């Protein structure tokens, strides 16, 4: 007969907890929006275009699209692991922990901004990246990945972060020969050539990178709690990455490079947060995604009966962070 610890482990690793996590995400987003404590966010400014006013001030549209994007990210990560098994055990924690980490911060759960789109492109791009492993004819995947990312940079500067992440990823896949480099360069320049050539935008529309002042819409206590929340998430991501390296380093090379991609994304995200610190909430979904991967690893490779402690701590932290940012 299964012990209580085994039942808890199975519950946290199963579909029921996944559904409950998603419901908690939706409820928290509605509560945060109804509280009136979460300010309207700028949707972002890119190299040529700005989409700040595309939804006006509609909280319903903001929450709906945001939840849809977060849900899609969770579903894609589950599919990604089912196909490529970069987390070697079957687990739903890739999605459920991402939902909970998103719930922990009202600025990422209830307000639409570029952050979820960034994480979504990472999840989608990972399919192209992982499927190209040691495939010397994967130039199409390289071109499409860089073309998609470059197009997104036209609407939000933060997507520039993904260019070095995917470049390092494709290099690790051992496919960046001369043809691969040409495909990457074409992927970067083609969107600009189309947009400028068709007159959709001009050089005069260029918008230089600036550090925005999203914090000006928050009060001092919210800023402090936001910084604490993000700092704890970053430290947890780094700590679990280091701990998991001991296990991942013993995987076969293909799985190591798959996991290296998410580690690189996490490191680059933290660096970007330090540079563009006033918009760090935009990068938070990518950091949450990186931490979710590490949490899934830590839970599945732990052979003790107390694996549920990882999730218990996550639940406690989620509640404290959400309440702290919204009400303290």
């Amino acid at each position: 007969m299964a012990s209580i610890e085994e039942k808890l482990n199975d519950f946290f690793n199963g579909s029921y907890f996944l559904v409950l996590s998603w419901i908690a995400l939706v409820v928290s987003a509605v509560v945060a929006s109804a509280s009136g404590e979460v300010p309207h966010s700028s949707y972002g400014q890119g190299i040529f275009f700005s989409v700040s006013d595309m939804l006006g001030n509609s909280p319903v549209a903001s929450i709906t699209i945001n939840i849809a994007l977060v849900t899609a990210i969770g579903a894609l990560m589950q599919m990604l692991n089912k196909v490529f098994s970069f987390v070697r055990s079957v687990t739903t924690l890739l999605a459920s922990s991402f939902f909970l980490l998103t719930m922990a911060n009202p600025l990422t759960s209830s307000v639409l901004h570029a952050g979820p789109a960034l994480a979504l492109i990472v999840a989608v791009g990972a399919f192209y990246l992982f499927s190209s492993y040691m495939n010397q004819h994967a130039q199409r995947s390289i071109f499409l990945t860089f073309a998609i990312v470059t197009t997104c940079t036209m609407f939000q500067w933060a997507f520039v972060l993904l260019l070095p992440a995917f470049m390092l990823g494709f290099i690790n896949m051992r496919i960046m020969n001369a043809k691969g480099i040409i495909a990457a360069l074409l992927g970067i320049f083609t969107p600009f050539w189309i947009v400028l050539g068709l007159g959709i935008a001009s050089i005069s529309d260029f918008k230089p990178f600036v550090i925005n002042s999203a914090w000006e819409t928050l009060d001092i206590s919210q800023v402090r709690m936001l910084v604490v929340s993000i700092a704890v998430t970053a430290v947890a991501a780094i700590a679990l990455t280091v701990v998991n390296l001991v296990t991942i380093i013993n995987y076969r090379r293909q799985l190591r490079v798959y996991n290296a991609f998410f580690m690189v994304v996490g490191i680059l995200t933290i660096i970007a947060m330090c540079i563009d610190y006033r918009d760090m909430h935009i990068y938070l979904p990518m950091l949450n995604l990186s931490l979710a991967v590490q949490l899934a690893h830590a839970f599945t490779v732990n052979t003790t009966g107390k694996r549920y402690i990882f999730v218990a701590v996550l639940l406690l932290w989620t509640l404290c962070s959400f309440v702290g940012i919204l009400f303290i």
Side-chain angles (χ1 to χ4, degrees):
M1 184 175 180
S3 66
I4 295 178
E5 289 183 345
E6 290 174 338
K7 290 180 179 178
L8 281 173
N9 290 332
D10 291 339
F11 173 72
F12 286 138
N13 200 35
S15 57
Y16 288 114
F17 183 66
L18 173 61
V19 173
L20 289 174
S21 299
W22 184 84
I23 293 173
L25 169 67
V26 175
V27 171
S28 68
V30 174
V31 170
S33 179
S35 71
E37 297 295 327
V38 182
H40 178 70
S41 176
S42 170
Y43 299 107
Q45 175 177 294
I47 295 175
F48 289 134
F49 310 109
S50 178
V51 290
S52 296
D53 300 320
M54 67 178 184
L55 294 176
N57 293 309
S58 171
V60 175
S62 183
I63 289 178
T64 302
I65 297 176
N66 199 58
I67 294 299
L69 289 175
V70 173
T71 303
I73 294 165
L76 284 170
M77 290 303 293
Q78 290 297 136
M79 291 172 57
L80 186 70
N81 192 51
K82 185 176 181 179
V83 175
F84 298 102
S85 300
F86 59 95
V87 177
R88 296 181 67 179
S89 299
V90 176
T91 180
T92 60
L93 277 177
L94 282 167
S96 57
S97 58
F98 179 70
F99 293 157
L100 290 173
L101 288 167
T102 302
M103 168 190 164
N105 195 316
L107 286 175
T108 59
S109 64
S110 63
V111 181
L112 178 65
H113 52 75
L118 267 170
L120 182 65
I121 295 300
V122 169
V124 172
F127 278 93
Y128 288 113
L129 182 67
F130 292 179
S131 63
S132 68
Y133 180 75
M134 294 191 72
N135 179 2
Q136 299 303 314
H137 302 286
Q139 288 80 28
R140 180 178 297 179
S141 294
I142 297 173
F143 173 81
L144 286 173
T145 301
F146 282 95
I148 292 171
V149 173
T150 302
T151 301
C152 291
T153 64
M154 296 183 186
F155 297 89
Q156 170 54 257
W157 269 100
F159 282 90
V160 171
L161 171 69
L162 300 185
L163 293 176
F166 280 110
M167 181 62 74
L168 290 172
F170 280 114
I171 290 174
N172 274 338
M173 298 298 156
R174 293 185 174 180
I175 60 170
M176 286 304 284
N177 50 24
K179 291 182 179 179
I181 294 173
I182 293 173
L185 293 175
L186 287 175
I188 292 172
F189 289 111
T190 297
F192 289 107
W193 180 76
I194 293 174
V195 168
L196 295 174
L198 294 179
I200 300 173
S202 65
I203 297 298
S204 61
D205 294 322
F206 176 78
K207 295 176 172 63
F209 171 76
V210 294
I211 296 178
N212 296 313
S213 300
W215 290 3
E216 291 180 358
T217 57
L218 302 173
D219 59 37
I220 294 176
S221 61
Q222 284 180 314
V223 171
R224 288 173 179 169
M225 284 303 302
L226 176 62
V227 172
V228 170
S229 175
I230 292 175
V232 170
T233 304
V235 170
I238 294 172
L240 282 180
T241 298
V242 173
V243 171
N244 289 333
L245 271 175
V246 177
T247 302
I248 293 173
I249 201 169
N250 293 317
Y251 291 175
R252 69 179 190 273
R253 187 186 187 280
Q254 186 172 358
L255 295 182
R256 293 202 306 270
V257 296
Y258 288 168
N259 283 283
F261 172 68
F262 290 108
M263 294 178 185
V264 168
V265 167
I267 292 170
L268 291 178
T269 300
I270 293 172
I271 293 173
M273 284 179 161
C274 294
I275 296 173
D276 189 11
Y277 61 95
R278 287 187 179 272
D279 270 339
M280 62 169 59
H281 66 287
I282 289 179
Y283 303 97
L284 184 54
M286 281 208 304
L287 183 61
N288 289 341
L289 187 62
S290 300
L291 178 54
V293 172
Q294 301 308 321
L295 279 167
H297 272 297
F299 184 90
T300 56
V301 302
N302 192 307
T303 57
T304 67
K306 299 185 182 299
R307 294 183 295 163
Y308 63 88
I309 293 177
F310 288 107
V311 186
V313 172
L314 173 62
L315 287 170
L316 179 61
W317 165 244
T318 295
L319 181 61
C320 292
S321 177
F322 178 80
V323 172
I325 294 174
L326 202 59
F327 300 112
I328 294 179

